[in-house]
Amino acid sequence: MRDVETRPRRNEWFIIVAIILVSLPLILGFLLLILSSFSEDMITNLSPNSFRPTIENWINVFQGKLAITGGIRQNILKITFNTLIVALGVSGIVTLISTLAGYSLSRMKFQGRKLMMLLLLMLHAFPGVALIVGVYLFYRLTFPQDPSMVRLYSFFYVVLARAALEIPMSVWLMKGFFDMIPWEFEWSGIIDGASRIKVWRKIMLPLIKPGILAVALFGFLAGWQDLIYVRTFLIDKTLATFIEANIEAEYSHMPLIAAAGTLYLLPTIIFFLTAQQLLLQGYSGGIKG
């Protein structure tokens, strides 16, 4: 009995050590980035002599200074707000459409249902870069003539375009959550005279809160970290395009850019640390469906 009990524990420790070793270069990269944001110079190794602590980089970042002299300035708060608008917009659209579509594919039988599910998987398989030419053509065809609407339209379009890439997989995840709910819950509401929309809103949605939160989280992170679509369609800067544009600029003080990069990573780190169980439920729900 003791041998049987110790073998799984040994296997678990072996898997944990293997994961840590494989992830070590990535962990070291993030560690050097964070340390550089609190140092006077960029840190390229873990030598104690290369780390000279300071919080001046973070102060300069929030003041918008990109150079040590302070001659080059950017409104980092506005850039962060732009990133937040895109992330929340993508999250809202993905969550709304995936909960509606996931419920329909799970509970309703209609012609073309299997074909639609197959097409969703095919759409998810397409990389966003491969679709950007067609998306850009549609962007030019629908471009507003009124100059005052261009900035608003660019936000609207990049949110829709980025959300479209996340919807296929999100629909499959939500379908998996709806499939796990027994039909009795739904039929009880229909027998009491509730419409399908009311059943979906009042009965089904409260039962799949983990799935809704997981999809909303995935959508938020997709919008927060997007670079290609934001750079192509959005007139204003986000944190991703801000860092990409200044990472090789001669006037930039690299520890400042490291601080901006750390600020850019914070939502992702916080979400994954606080929502690990939620993300596991999200994946398992989609797989079971």
Side-chain angles (χ1 to χ4, degrees), residues 141-244:
L141 292 174
T142 58
F143 199 77
Q145 300 297 324
D146 187 358
S148 63
M149 296 295 294
V150 171
R151 178 168 275 101
L152 179 62
Y153 177 77
S154 68
F155 272 104
F156 177 74
Y157 195 87
V158 75
V159 167
L160 285 182
R162 195 62 185 85
L165 297 177
E166 300 300 315
I167 285 174
M169 189 60 187
S170 298
V171 170
W172 269 93
L173 285 175
M174 293 309 301
K175 178 186 177 300
F177 276 94
F178 283 116
D179 287 343
M180 291 190 297
I181 300 177
W183 277 88
E184 287 76 11
F185 291 97
E186 188 172 1
W187 285 119
S188 62
I190 295 176
I191 292 173
D192 292 339
S195 62
R196 296 301 291 264
I197 292 294
K198 191 172 183 180
V199 168
W200 168 79
R201 184 168 56 90
K202 294 287 188 179
I203 298 177
M204 304 296 284
L205 291 187
L207 295 175
I208 58 165
K209 286 181 179 179
I212 295 174
L213 293 175
V215 167
L217 175 58
F218 291 143
F220 180 89
L221 294 178
W224 182 268
Q225 66 189 12
D226 183 76
L227 175 62
I228 297 176
Y229 276 67
V230 166
R231 182 169 183 175
T232 304
F233 303 114
L234 193 64
I235 295 175
D236 296 312
K237 289 183 179 180
T238 63
L239 285 173
T241 55
F242 166 78
I243 295 170
E244 188 267 344

Side-chain angles (χ1 to χ4, degrees), residues 32 35 39 42-52:
L32 291 176
L35 290 176
S39 177
M42 285 296 292
I43 300 176
T44 57
N45 55 66
L46 296 178
S47 173
N49 297 327
S50 62
F51 180 62
R52 292 181 291 176

Side-chain angles (χ1 to χ4, degrees), residues 40 88 117 128 155 159 199 256 263-264 276:
E40 295 181 7
L88 290 176
M117 294 171 63
F155 272 104
V159 167
V199 168
L256 294 178
L263 176 65
Y264 177 61
Q276 295 180 33

Side-chain angles (χ1 to χ4, degrees), residues 75-87:
N75 191 341
I76 195 69
L77 294 179
K78 181 181 178 182
I79 292 173
T80 306
F81 183 68
N82 293 339
T83 313
L84 192 62
I85 290 176
V86 174

